[in-house]
Amino acid sequence: MKKLIAILSVAALLFSATSFAADKYGKAIISNQKVLNSFNQEFAGAAKVTWYANEDEKSYVAKFDIKESRVTAHFDDEGNLLATSRVISDSDLPLPVISRLMHRYPNENIRNVVEYTANGSLTYMITLENDTQWKIIKAGADGGLSTVRKLRKA
């Protein structure tokens, strides 16, 4: 009986060790080789990679550093890159976006900018702040602005 338990334990250990890819620290990340290959091809040079898998294992998210930016990338189970996002500074916004923001919201301060890329489209989510509220603004690369949400300060 002890031999059977030992054999089953070794088999379970070998199975679990080969089921997941591991990072350089030996932590389990994901087992989908298509996603890993796609990630490595798209984001060569990425560092500090952390993986998250959706419970149904139909999608994967990688958070990593590349070229001094913290990036989040979303993949489907076939390894297709679905979307990316990263926090950028307001000085990295395109000129049409900055011009329209300054014209439409002259008394607002930019607090946060997140750049999203999905389906070949680039979008910016910008958090503005004044004395009484925050506004979340969606901007296209062409400078088109729309208010997504307004939040009153307490």
Side-chain angles (χ1 to χ4, degrees):
M1 185 69 166
K2 289 181 183 179
K3 285 184 181 179
L4 179 61
I5 292 173
I7 291 171
L8 291 175
S9 297
V10 170
L13 180 63
L14 287 174
F15 174 75
S16 66
T18 59
S19 294
F20 297 94
D23 65 9
K24 65 182 177 181
Y25 304 108
K27 293 188 239 175
I29 47 176
I30 63 169
S31 60
N32 187 317
Q33 197 61 44
K34 290 179 184 177
V35 173
L36 289 172
N37 290 342
S38 180
F39 174 81
N40 289 329
Q41 186 176 12
E42 289 282 336
F43 302 106
K48 298 180 184 176
V49 182
T50 305
W51 284 96
Y52 302 90
N54 194 346
E55 288 182 13
D56 62 6
E57 303 224 7
K58 297 290 184 190
S59 64
Y60 300 88
V61 175
K63 294 187 178 204
F64 55 96
D65 293 339
I66 194 165
K67 295 184 181 177
E68 299 180 21
S69 292
R70 187 71 179 158
V71 178
T72 301
H74 299 263
F75 294 88
D76 65 14
D77 61 340
E78 292 297 315
N80 298 310
L81 178 62
L82 303 174
T84 60
S85 65
R86 67 184 179 134
V87 175
I88 63 171
S89 72
D90 56 348
S91 62
D92 292 328
L93 285 168
L95 189 56
V97 174
I98 292 172
S99 286
R100 290 213 176 139
L101 282 172
M102 290 174 61
H103 178 69
R104 191 179 290 179
Y105 305 104
N107 299 320
E108 311 279 335
N109 295 316
I110 297 175
R111 285 296 182 213
N112 188 29
V113 180
V114 179
E115 176 187 79
Y116 290 97
T117 305
N119 301 322
S121 177
L122 189 61
T123 305
Y124 301 94
M125 298 300 284
I126 304 159
T127 304
L128 301 175
E129 179 184 24
N130 65 23
D131 292 338
T132 60
Q133 67 181 351
W134 290 283
K135 291 179 185 143
I136 301 172
I137 307 298
K138 181 178 178 180
D142 63 352
L145 304 177
S146 62
T147 302
V148 175
R149 177 177 269 180
K150 293 181 183 180
L151 302 166
R152 290 183 189 256
K153 291 183 175 181

